[in-house]
Amino acid sequence: ELTKELLAEWISRFSEKIQNNKGYLSDLDAAIGDGDHGNNMARGMQAVTESLEKNETADTTQSLKLIAMSLISKVGGASGPLYGTAFLEMAKASNDTKDLGELLQEALSGIKKRGGAQPNDKTMVDVWNKVVSKADDSSLTNADIEAAVESTKDMVAKKGRASYLGERSVGHLDPGAVSSGYLFEALLEAEE
Ligand code: ADP
Ligand code: MG
Ligand code: MG
């Protein structure tokens, strides 16, 4: 059940992880992309935090929409519209259900539709896909998240900038998968 309070705690913990790992995320992106993923996400989550502070009275649906809008307008790159779509789809679905598993399922569908990536393409989809099926029956653990993130290391990138490297992308973690891992770790912490 995604209450306004859980959402606020989730986003606050996610933002903290992004700010703390900004350099690491950009380093990961420098290896197989253009080196800006940490900076993109940090800028976006700063905007998200300010927007939520400014709109204290927003309910779950309105908060999800504010998060989506900040991510879309401030993260930029490939990941901004994808994270933004995820939260926008949750916002839309939250009019009918607050079930977290169902909301995450909508978010994943939105990311796949928007970016066209499938599992095994070495993107954030690899984390979302594995995690969402477990979040559905609340059996998700930190070990599951870590395994999903690590699984991108051996993959050949098929989408995004890393795909320009082809086989040379093997041996590197996907930066968007790592930031998505933080998102779900933050969720587990917020749920405790
Ligand atoms: P950019 O590549 O434009 O600089 P970022 O560095 O912020 O954007 O984000 C890169 C991340 O976005 C990748 O690590 C990957 O996880 C994700 N990504 C890129 N393209 C796609 C796509 N088509 N579908 C899903 N995720 C994608
Ligand atoms: Mg980049
Ligand atoms: Mg970029």
Side-chain angles (χ1 to χ4, degrees):
E1 168 90 16
L2 187 61
T3 60
K4 176 187 170 162
E5 291 71 28
L6 175 60
L7 178 59
E9 188 65 24
W10 178 18
I11 292 304
S12 153
R13 286 173 184 267
F14 178 49
S15 183
E16 195 179 309
K17 288 179 193 296
I18 291 293
Q19 306 301 343
N20 290 342
N21 294 284
K22 174 171 134 176
Y24 173 57
L25 289 171
S26 284
D27 287 348
L28 290 174
D29 193 30
I32 57 172
D34 58 357
D36 61 1
H37 186 62
N39 294 67
N40 291 346
M41 292 301 295
R43 191 174 58 238
M45 290 311 294
Q46 177 64 37
V48 165
T49 303
E50 285 166 14
S51 168
L52 290 180
E53 273 170 9
K54 238 184 277 163
N55 296 278
E56 273 179 8
T57 57
D59 63 16
T60 299
T61 300
Q62 291 164 334
S63 299
L64 286 165
K65 210 169 278 174
L66 289 167
I67 294 163
M69 291 312 164
S70 297
L71 291 172
I72 290 169
S73 65
K74 290 286 154 57
V75 176
S79 60
L82 293 169
Y83 272 110
T85 296
F87 280 92
L88 199 57
E89 290 301 318
M90 287 196 271
K92 283 192 227 157
S94 69
N95 288 308
D96 298 322
T97 178
K98 299 283 189 296
D99 181 88
L100 196 53
E102 287 179 43
L103 294 177
L104 290 173
Q105 193 63 59
E106 292 301 319
L108 169 61
S109 300
I111 293 174
K112 281 179 161 173
K113 201 183 280 177
R114 174 95 202 199
Q118 292 303 316
N120 245 28
D121 285 351
K122 196 181 180 96
T123 70
M124 61 173 73
V125 167
D126 290 300
V127 169
W128 280 81
N129 195 52
K130 291 197 182 85
V131 160
V132 166
S133 56
K134 299 241 180 188
D136 242 346
D137 57 7
S138 354
S139 68
L140 182 66
T141 65
N142 275 309
D144 294 326
I145 298 169
E146 200 188 320
V149 171
E150 286 295 321
S151 76
T152 65
K153 195 164 192 168
D154 296 331
M155 294 175 187
V156 179
K158 301 271 167 50
K159 288 280 173 190
R161 287 178 188 280
S163 66
Y164 308 153
L165 293 183
E167 294 284 341
R168 280 184 295 139
S169 64
V170 173
H172 301 277
L173 290 173
D174 174 66
V178 174
S179 63
S180 294
Y182 296 151
L183 179 69
F184 293 111
E185 284 169 11
L187 178 59
L188 287 187
E189 287 173 19
E191 280 179 321
E192 271 175 13

